[in-house]
Amino acid sequence: MGALDLSIFSLASFLIFLVPVFYINRHLGLEINKTMITSIVRMCIQLSFVGVYLEFLFKFNSPVLNTAYLLIMIAIACQSILKSSNLKLRKFFIPVFFALLFPFTIMLFFFNAAVVRIDNLFEAKYMIPIGGMLLGNCLRSIIIVLNNFYSGIRRDEKVYLYSLSLLCSRIQALKPYFRQSFLAAVTPTMATMATIGLVSLPGMMTGQILGGSIPIVAIKYQIAIMFSIFYTGYFCVILSVLFSLKVGFNALDVLNQDIFVSKV
C-alpha cells in the first residue's frame, strides 16, 4: 500500500506558517518576502507541471523522450550552476554540460544495469527519478568548486602569476586553488554520508518506506544511490574544472577577466 494522498487543502495549510515568517522578516528589515513568494509559487507550478509530465513519460516509457528529458534537465542544471557561480553562460555552458553529462550517464546506466539489473535501461520510473537525484546533488558541489576556484585565482592573481614566473606549469600553479576548491566541494557530501541514518533519514529511503517497501529494501536502495551521488559528484567536480580551463585562461595561461558576470 502506497502513501496516503494529500488534499489541496492539506498542502495549503502550510501557508499559515508564512504569517510569522513574513512578520520576522519585516521586523528584521529583511526584504525577502517578495522573493519567498516568488519561490513558493514557482515551486508549486514547476512541481505540478513535472507531475503531469512524468505521468506522460511513465505511460509511454519512450527511450527517446526519457533521454530528451534528462538532457533538458542537464541543460537547466548548467544554467543554474553558472548563474550561481557568476560565470558567463555562453563561455562555460558547453564545458560544464559535458562535465555533467559524462559521469552522470555512466553512473546512471551502471545503476540501472549492474545494481538494479533492469532489462530496459531506459525504464522511465528508474531513469528519471534516479537521474534527477544525481543531478540535484551534483549542483551544489559544482557551484562550490567553480566559484571557489575562479574567484580564488582572481583574488590571488598576483600569487598565481608569480608561480608562473618561477617556471611552474599552469597545472602546477593552479594545483593549490584546485585542491582547496575541490575539498570545499566534496566535504559536504562526505559529511552527509558519515551522518546519514543517525542525523537524518534520507529522502529516497523515506519515500520508499512511504511507498510500501520494507525498510531493509529501502536501505539498500539508499546505500546504492549514495554511492552513485558521491561518484557522480566527485568526477563532475574534477571535469568541470578541467573542461573549463580552455575558456578560463588565455594562451599565456593568464586568467580571462571577461569570464565573470559583472555585478551592477
Side-chain angles (χ1 to χ4, degrees):
M1 182 178 177
L4 296 175
D5 193 10
L6 302 179
S7 67
I8 299 298
F9 176 78
S10 298
L11 292 175
S13 64
F14 276 105
L15 297 177
I16 193 172
F17 293 102
L18 282 176
V19 176
V21 169
F22 285 168
Y23 175 79
I24 294 172
N25 289 343
R26 186 175 181 180
H27 183 71
L28 294 177
L30 302 176
E31 299 179 357
I32 58 174
N33 286 346
K34 184 177 180 181
T35 304
M36 281 187 173
I37 294 175
T38 302
S39 299
I40 291 171
V41 171
R42 285 190 59 177
M43 175 191 70
C44 294
I45 294 175
Q46 289 167 183
L47 286 178
S48 298
F49 170 77
V50 169
V52 173
Y53 189 65
L54 285 183
E55 285 194 12
F56 171 80
L57 284 180
F58 288 179
K59 178 181 178 181
F60 288 93
N61 200 20
S62 166
V64 176
L65 288 178
N66 296 344
T67 302
Y69 184 72
L70 286 179
L71 290 175
I72 292 172
M73 289 172 63
I74 294 174
I76 295 174
C78 291
Q79 183 181 17
S80 176
I81 289 168
L82 296 175
K83 182 180 179 181
S84 300
S85 303
N86 293 317
L87 297 172
K88 289 186 177 179
L89 181 66
R90 63 183 178 85
K91 290 183 176 290
F92 283 85
F93 180 83
I94 292 179
V96 174
F97 182 87
F98 285 103
L100 265 171
L101 179 65
F102 292 150
F104 168 80
T105 303
I106 292 171
M107 197 53 57
L108 177 61
F109 285 109
F110 180 84
F111 186 95
N112 288 346
V115 180
V116 185
R117 299 182 181 179
I118 57 177
D119 295 328
N120 179 14
L121 299 182
F122 293 87
E123 182 76 33
K125 71 176 183 178
Y126 287 96
M127 190 177 187
I128 303 301
I130 300 300
M133 280 189 282
L134 294 181
L135 281 177
N137 284 276
C138 285
L139 281 179
R140 179 179 62 176
S141 297
I142 300 178
I143 290 171
I144 292 174
V145 74
L146 288 177
N147 187 49
N148 286 8
F149 182 73
Y150 284 102
S151 63
I153 297 171
R154 189 184 194 184
R155 183 178 58 250
D156 299 332
E157 189 171 11
K158 291 182 179 180
V159 177
Y160 166 69
L161 294 176
Y162 178 70
S163 298
L164 291 178
S165 70
L166 296 178
L167 301 181
C168 291
S169 66
R170 181 174 65 177
I171 298 300
Q172 291 174 323
L174 291 177
K175 191 174 181 180
Y177 303 98
F178 176 74
R179 184 190 297 116
Q180 182 181 15
S181 58
F182 178 79
L183 287 175
V186 301
T187 297
T189 302
M190 293 189 294
T192 300
M193 294 174 68
T195 58
I196 198 168
L198 297 176
V199 177
S200 65
L201 290 179
M204 185 176 189
M205 178 179 170
T206 303
Q208 284 211 327
I209 291 175
L210 291 175
S213 298
I214 60 175
I216 192 63
V217 173
I219 288 171
K220 290 177 182 177
Y221 268 88
Q222 187 60 54
I223 292 174
I225 195 61
M226 287 306 300
F227 273 123
S228 301
I229 288 171
F230 176 71
Y231 292 138
T232 304
Y234 185 93
F235 291 111
C236 282
V237 163
I238 294 176
L239 293 181
S240 63
V241 174
L242 292 180
F243 287 1
S244 66
L245 292 180
K246 187 174 181 179
V247 296
F249 297 84
N250 62 24
L252 299 176
D253 295 334
V254 177
L255 181 68
N256 287 324
Q257 294 298 326
D258 64 343
I259 62 175
F260 299 99
V261 176
S262 300
K263 294 183 179 180
V264 181

